[in-house]
Amino acid sequence: MQEKLNLDNYKQAIADLYTGRSQTYDKTRDNDDWHWQIANRLVEYGQVGLGQNVLDIATGTGHCAIASAQLVGSEGKVIGIDISSGMIAQARQKAANLNLSNVEFQLADGEKLNFPANSFDRIFCSSAFIWMSDLISALSLWRKLLKPGGILGIHAFAETAFVGGVVTQKIAEKYGISFLMSKPTGTIEKCQNLLQQAKFESIEIKVEQEDSSYISLEKAKRMWAGSEHPAPGQYPSPLSQLSSEQLAQAKAEFDAELEALQTEQGIWNDITTYYVYGQKPCVS
Ligand SMILES: C[S@@+](CC[C@H](N)C(=O)[O-])C[C@H]1O[C@@H](n2cnc3c(N)ncnc32)[C@H](O)[C@@H]1O
């Protein structure tokens, strides 16, 4: 099993970010189960059945993989892959603690997978799709790995989601800087188009907003992207173009914009979430 990947600078920065977060990843939000809940819903709506083979791409600490392993039974098999060795170590530990023998975790790039074509009944990618460098190529590769009739389930956020990201984009634009963030998957139409371009059929998209809530001003201010933090689909971070003086000025403008959004209840943080499913045609 490969335990060292040759990653480009963009992917190495992502792997380092998540390895750094891996010990606390399952408890980083106010709601401790936040990522787990999304992954669990992605698997639930994906109708995983007994005896199926499931691939969880960018598995992180193994949320989709472990949820799937509990559904496929001893005849089924689940593989979780990720570029972060720290996240893979956490996932392996969790599966061992649960005595799951039908799931394994591998260090691998979701855009360079060597599994045989037609291997999986289900492929999931939760909270990670926008990190892929080439979304259409990634989807096409995943379609190839699905069995005919197999289903891909990806989770994405609307471009209106996360007040900190939306305000960061707005401020960055004043400096002539464009962030991608959730824009590539940011609407139902964009998700639909991506899967259509990758030749999926029977595309279904569920939209949920129940994780949206008011948050404190302090929490919103912590959502500033900063210049060091990797940005989905962009390397280096767009903010690294700014001088330190411009960065300080932009952060001050970000804080002021958030202060203007504050209400008695706090700041509204939209978390519109898409659960996107597509089927590999039975006859190609
Ligand atoms: C926000 S976490 C999501 C983890 C997990 N899927 C979940 O639902 O909690 C994003 C994960 O994507 C992984 N990742 C990013 N790009 C990747 C790639 N090209 N191949 C595999 N994993 C990748 C990161 O290492 C990180 O573990």
Side-chain angles (χ1 to χ4, degrees):
M1 193 179 301
Q2 196 178 2
E3 285 300 316
K4 178 96 183 93
L5 295 174
N6 277 328
L7 299 172
D8 62 22
N9 290 340
Y10 167 64
K11 288 187 180 175
Q12 191 60 55
I14 300 168
D16 292 346
L17 170 76
Y18 281 103
T19 290
R21 284 186 183 171
S22 57
Q23 307 272 336
T24 52
Y25 177 81
D26 286 0
K27 297 196 179 295
T28 47
R29 303 271 167 177
D30 292 346
N31 173 355
D32 284 349
D33 289 337
W34 194 74
H35 281 111
W36 184 84
Q37 281 173 12
I38 286 177
N40 216 35
R41 275 183 225 144
L42 187 68
V43 171
E44 183 191 332
Y45 301 149
Q47 298 177 353
V48 174
L50 275 176
Q52 289 188 333
N53 286 346
V54 179
L55 176 63
D56 179 17
I57 290 172
T59 188
T61 59
H63 288 141
C64 284
I66 288 171
S68 300
Q70 289 166 332
L71 295 170
V72 299
S74 56
E75 301 295 305
K77 174 82 191 165
V78 181
I79 298 175
I81 67 98
D82 202 285
I83 53 173
S84 158
S85 55
M87 296 294 254
I88 287 290
Q90 291 293 318
R92 285 179 182 151
Q93 189 57 55
K94 282 163 67 177
N97 293 346
L98 290 165
N99 283 324
L100 289 171
S101 56
N102 59 353
V103 58
E104 72 174 75
F105 293 96
Q106 301 178 6
L107 197 62
D109 180 349
E111 296 183 270
K112 291 182 185 164
L113 295 169
N114 293 321
F115 301 112
N118 307 318
S119 291
F120 298 99
D121 300 283
R122 298 286 182 273
I123 295 181
F124 295 113
C125 183
S126 186
S127 301
F129 182 52
I130 53 171
W131 286 114
M132 301 301 142
S133 302
D134 184 331
L135 301 184
I136 299 288
S137 296
L139 289 173
S140 301
L141 170 62
W142 302 347
R143 180 176 48 77
K144 187 179 106 183
L145 301 182
L146 279 170
K147 295 177 186 174
I151 291 173
L152 170 74
I154 61 171
H155 146 262
F157 292 113
E159 55 200 24
T160 52
F162 300 109
V163 65
V166 172
V167 174
T168 298
Q169 284 174 298
K170 184 175 171 188
I171 300 300
E173 271 164 26
K174 289 169 67 178
Y175 291 81
I177 289 172
S178 175
F179 267 101
L180 284 176
M181 293 189 182
S182 288
K183 279 187 202 157
T185 56
T187 65
I188 294 173
E189 293 71 27
K190 287 180 181 177
C191 292
Q192 179 101 24
N193 284 340
L194 283 167
L195 264 71
Q196 271 170 351
Q197 283 183 64
K199 300 191 170 60
F200 282 90
E201 59 183 28
S202 304
I203 299 164
E204 281 183 32
I205 301 174
K206 287 183 190 293
V207 184
E208 294 187 357
Q209 290 172 316
E210 61 232 40
D211 293 323
S212 305
S213 65
Y214 285 96
I215 59 171
S216 69
L217 178 60
E218 292 66 38
K219 185 171 177 182
K221 285 184 176 178
R222 286 199 298 273
M223 291 175 163
W224 172 243
S227 58
E228 303 298 320
H229 194 288
Q234 291 172 296
Y235 186 84
S237 165
L239 288 181
S240 64
Q241 299 167 39
L242 298 184
S243 67
S244 51
E245 291 76 25
Q246 285 174 315
L247 256 183
Q249 175 65 26
K251 171 67 168 116
E253 291 173 32
F254 172 82
D255 288 352
E257 186 86 22
L258 288 174
E259 281 157 22
L261 291 175
Q262 198 177 14
T263 69
E264 277 182 6
Q265 294 143 294
I267 295 181
W268 181 246
N269 189 40
D270 172 79
I271 310 190
T272 299
T273 305
Y274 302 137
Y275 298 91
V276 184
Y277 298 88
Q279 189 170 36
K280 176 171 177 168
C282 291
V283 182
S284 47

